[in-house]
Amino acid sequence: MLTRIDHIGIACFDLDKTVEFYRATYGFEVFHTEVNEEQGVREAMLKINETSDGGASYLQLLEPTREDSAVGKWLAKNGEGVHHIAFGTADVDGVAADVRSKGVRVLYDEPRRGSMGSRITFLHPKDCHGVLTELVTAAAPEATDH
Ligand code: CMX
Ligand code: CO
């Protein structure tokens, strides 16, 4: 079961400038930053609100670490903007299996490592009406070291 919008992923050319825009314009502060080399991104998570399932909703600002990464390719083609949406669930394996059984391409055989020790997978945008869709199970609170 999907229980929240975990985050909206926004691709940008300059992470520091984009973080500053969200701080100066809306007052959102950086909750966490990391480099995920497997995904080819340097990212900042801005927490927007807690959610009723014990999780939270974030903006995920993404700067590519290399041109041939998913975000790097997308930026070269589209420029800056909303790159993906992520739904949160306590059971990313179960939801991915369920969605796959409905004929949607799940991009990874097994979930991979996402922000803050989460487990993530992606659904192909061409099977989701043009929306790259991520599924996220957050790390257990005691395991989170942001
Ligand atoms: N949203 C919507 N459509 C997208 C898209 C996106 N973010 N990225 C690509 N597409 C579309 C393209 O426009 C293209 O459509 P057309 O054929 O009609 O032109 C098609 O999908 C193929 O795109 P491509 O540029 O050839 O790119 P690839 O097929 O090589 O890669 C994808 C697309 C989705 C498989 C790849 O981006 C991917 O694996 N994404 C998952 C990983 C990821 O995005 N990581 C970064 C975020 C990390 C995080 O959130 O933590
Ligand atoms: Co994401």
Side-chain angles (χ1 to χ4, degrees), residues 39 60 70 73-74 77 83-84 107 122 125-126 130 132 134:
Q39 294 294 335
Q60 181 184 42
K73 283 175 62 180
W74 189 88
K77 188 171 167 187
H83 179 258
H84 65 272
L107 297 183
F122 290 88
K126 291 296 180 189
L132 175 59
E134 179 180 350

Side-chain angles (χ1 to χ4, degrees), residues 18 41 45-46 57 73 79 104 109 130 139 142:
T18 309
V41 295
M45 298 295 277
L46 315 186
S57 294
K73 283 175 62 180
V104 174
D109 290 338
E142 61 272 20

Side-chain angles (χ1 to χ4, degrees), residues 8 15 23 91 106 127 131 136-137:
I8 309 287
L15 186 64
R23 193 199 63 71
D91 179 17
V106 177
D127 296 346
V131 179
V136 184
T137 294

Side-chain angles (χ1 to χ4, degrees), residues 4-146:
R4 67 181 179 279
I5 291 176
D6 187 274
H7 62 268
I8 309 287
I10 297 173
C12 61
F13 291 116
D14 185 321
L15 186 64
D16 298 337
K17 280 188 184 155
T18 309
V19 161
E20 176 54 18
F21 169 80
Y22 279 92
R23 193 199 63 71
T25 309
Y26 309 114
F28 294 143
E29 300 290 348
V30 173
F31 181 75
H32 169 85
T33 57
E34 71 181 79
V35 173
N36 185 329
E37 280 300 351
E38 183 180 28
Q39 294 294 335
V41 295
R42 188 163 82 91
E43 62 175 77
M45 298 295 277
L46 315 186
K47 189 189 273 190
I48 308 304
N49 57 273
E50 310 281 347
T51 55
S52 57
D53 60 2
S57 294
Y58 303 88
L59 292 182
Q60 181 184 42
L61 306 180
L62 299 159
E63 179 191 272
T65 57
R66 46 178 198 270
E67 284 179 9
D68 65 348
S69 63
V71 173
K73 283 175 62 180
W74 189 88
L75 269 172
K77 188 171 167 187
N78 302 286
E80 296 186 313
V82 175
H83 179 258
H84 65 272
I85 183 168
F87 295 123
T89 172
D91 179 17
V92 64
D93 302 271
V95 172
D98 180 54
V99 168
R100 185 181 276 123
S101 77
K102 293 169 178 164
V104 174
R105 278 171 287 172
V106 177
L107 297 183
Y108 304 151
D109 290 338
E110 294 291 334
R112 297 182 184 173
R113 189 185 183 289
S115 308
M116 298 178 280
S118 59
R119 296 175 67 240
I120 62 172
T121 195
F122 290 88
L123 314 181
H124 201 287
K126 291 296 180 189
D127 296 346
C128 301
H129 295 265
V131 179
L132 175 59
T133 304
E134 179 180 350
L135 307 174
V136 184
T137 294
E142 61 272 20
T144 307
D145 178 22
H146 75 84

